[in-house]
Amino acid sequence: MIEEAPIKPITKEVYSILMSQEYAGSISKMVEEYAYWDSVKYHVPKGIKPEDFWNAIKKIRQMGANFFRFSICSFMYKETNTMQALLHNFDMNFGGTLSSTDILSDKNRRYYLLSSIMEEAIASSQMEGASTTRKVAKEMLRKQAKPKDKSQQMILNNYNTIRYLSEHKDDDFSQELLLEIHKQITEKTLDNSDDEGRFRTDDSIHVMNVMTGEVAHEPPSYKMIIPTITELCALINDEGKGFIHPIIKAVILHFMISYLHPFVDGNGRTARSLFYWYMLKKGYWLTEYLSISRIIYKSKVQYEKVFLYTEHDNYDLGYFIHYNLKVLNQAFEELKVYLERKTKENAAILEYRIPGLNERQIQIIKICAEKPSSIFTSKDLEIRFNVSVKTIRADLEGLVEKGLMEIVSLNKRLRGYTRSKTFEERLEEIKEN
């Protein structure tokens, strides 16, 4: 559990000393990192009492804080230099910079989009206990197979919800939208199906620490759910609440749904989906290509801690905002690495550049060359390349005609395609000609 921070007013004399050049660097570092007491106490300069050092940091945060209020509680946060730099970077890059590159051209961006949606759906579900591996989950989504268990159903729900949110990014935030998202994301995964898309009706829900069994969070009374959602709608829909940076507002939406815990189950998945939705709504289209939940999943302990830091430190939301901006930045950096790798792979495909073949056929040939035992079906490739089954069948038949692939029978009704026995010879002949 979280260690309670000391509460002790700092004297003017001590504060003046801590603001001197000798200690300014240490203070600034803790402010910029948005460190909580359990970390701050290990970075106290010599000759200074830990509680004085902590309270000086708190005073600086409060002096430059932004405040906003709901009926259930009031929140604050200080927008640090680190936050502002990250927000500026996102503003510059998430709205269009990469759209002009070849790697995200209109021809291939749909392929990367499908892959990123899968990654996001899988990671968000794994955070809530889904145990299916990424490989199995991706195969299920690509083949549009029926889920075999609750874990696979959770992943399919997340996948479908993300696609739904993308289609409804221009909608206003409303109680109806929230309930619809929850209904989609929890379909066939709750003990009581009546709880799908319905607010909880009692206060029996507690958020437990899985490791210790202790109660980590007691949500506000169920009687406050609808009034708070009404206030949240006004904030999110920009109804006279003053300017809050859109990305920070997306983080606030994420936090408030998690904190309010309006549903019996599925609150975390719903909250993360709404962050994704609001980012798209505000024009940050690159968010569709980021696997944010995968980064959170890797640092799940810290993710849970920043919720608790906020609650334990007078609802200072800066901890949660700072963490989520760092996650967003890491997801962006991973995307750049991924795109760089794909650029190199696409360059390698040029080795198989054959007149008369399109990019999909070339990618199929490349897979055949690298994984000779691969067997394809029209359905698999229809999902992979996001084209019609008619189009992909024409691609495959074209490769059969060139002697690069052959048809194999998978069962009485289904046929597949694999590389031909003379694949290497035909490839060389075609390339030479």
Side-chain angles (χ1 to χ4, degrees), residues 203-269:
D203 293 328
S204 62
I205 301 300
H206 304 285
V207 181
M208 309 296 292
N209 183 306
V210 179
M211 299 298 292
T212 66
E214 297 177 284
V215 175
H217 170 60
E218 293 191 7
S221 169
Y222 75 95
K223 297 177 182 179
M224 295 304 299
I225 293 174
I226 292 179
T228 305
I229 293 300
T230 301
E231 293 175 329
L232 187 57
C233 286
L235 177 71
I236 297 304
N237 295 330
D238 301 316
E239 297 177 7
K241 297 292 183 179
F243 178 77
I244 299 176
H245 192 285
I247 297 179
I248 289 182
K249 193 175 284 190
V251 175
I252 292 172
L253 178 58
H254 179 174
F255 179 88
M256 285 304 299
I257 297 301
S258 298
Y259 175 77
L260 187 60
H261 233 68
F263 305 107
V264 171
D265 196 7
N267 294 281
R269 284 169 284 159

Side-chain angles (χ1 to χ4, degrees), residues 234-376:
L235 177 71
I236 297 304
N237 295 330
D238 301 316
E239 297 177 7
K241 297 292 183 179
F243 178 77
I244 299 176
H245 192 285
I247 297 179
I248 289 182
K249 193 175 284 190
V251 175
I252 292 172
L253 178 58
H254 179 174
F255 179 88
M256 285 304 299
I257 297 301
S258 298
Y259 175 77
L260 187 60
H261 233 68
F263 305 107
V264 171
D265 196 7
N267 294 281
R269 284 169 284 159
T270 302
R272 289 187 293 276
S273 293
L274 283 168
F275 172 87
Y276 173 92
W277 166 79
Y278 193 74
M279 290 286 287
L280 296 182
K281 179 178 179 63
K282 289 301 180 179
Y284 296 100
W285 66 265
L286 194 64
T287 308
E288 285 192 281
Y289 297 85
L290 303 177
S291 181
I292 298 168
S293 289
R294 186 155 55 91
I295 306 300
I296 295 176
Y297 184 53
K298 292 178 183 177
S299 58
K300 190 178 179 183
V301 172
Q302 189 62 25
Y303 176 64
E304 293 169 348
K305 278 187 176 181
V306 290
F307 276 109
L308 298 177
Y309 290 159
T310 294
E311 283 194 65
H312 283 252
D313 195 7
N314 299 314
Y315 295 99
D316 186 341
L317 200 58
Y319 299 103
F320 195 71
I321 294 171
H322 177 87
Y323 169 81
N324 277 275
L325 293 183
K326 299 287 279 187
V327 164
L328 200 56
N329 187 61
Q330 188 175 343
F332 179 47
E333 292 300 320
E334 288 197 2
L335 174 65
K336 290 194 290 186
V337 172
Y338 172 76
L339 294 179
E340 183 178 354
R341 176 167 58 84
K342 283 298 179 182
T343 300
K344 292 178 180 178
E345 289 179 3
N346 286 351
I349 290 176
L350 292 175
E351 297 176 12
Y352 303 99
R353 186 66 67 184
I354 301 169
L357 296 189
N358 60 43
E359 291 185 10
R360 293 183 301 276
Q361 290 173 314
I362 292 170
Q363 289 194 48
I364 293 170
I365 289 173
K366 184 174 185 292
I367 296 172
C368 287
E370 294 176 346
K371 299 178 180 179
S373 61
S374 296
I375 298 178
F376 306 96

Side-chain angles (χ1 to χ4, degrees), residues 4-12 14-16 18-19 27 30-31 35-37 40-41 44-45 48-63 76 312-314 316 319:
E4 295 291 345
I7 302 175
K8 176 187 175 184
I10 190 169
T11 65
K12 291 183 179 180
V14 174
Y15 182 72
S16 178
L18 285 168
M19 291 301 100
I27 291 280
M30 293 295 99
V31 170
Y36 181 66
W37 163 249
V40 166
K41 66 181 183 179
V44 181
I48 299 297
K49 293 181 179 179
E51 57 268 28
D52 287 335
F53 188 59
W54 166 249
N55 282 292
I57 293 169
K58 285 291 300 172
K59 187 170 183 177
I60 292 173
R61 287 176 184 163
Q62 291 166 352
M63 287 172 61
M76 62 154 281
H312 283 252
D313 195 7
N314 299 314
D316 186 341
Y319 299 103

Side-chain angles (χ1 to χ4, degrees), residues 89-114:
N89 182 47
F90 302 148
D91 287 341
M92 294 296 291
N93 288 289
F94 280 30
T97 301
L98 291 178
S99 63
S100 61
T101 65
D102 291 336
I103 196 66
L104 279 179
S105 65
D106 289 336
K107 290 183 179 180
N108 55 26
R109 67 191 299 176
R110 290 182 302 173
Y111 170 76
Y112 297 130
L113 177 57
L114 190 65

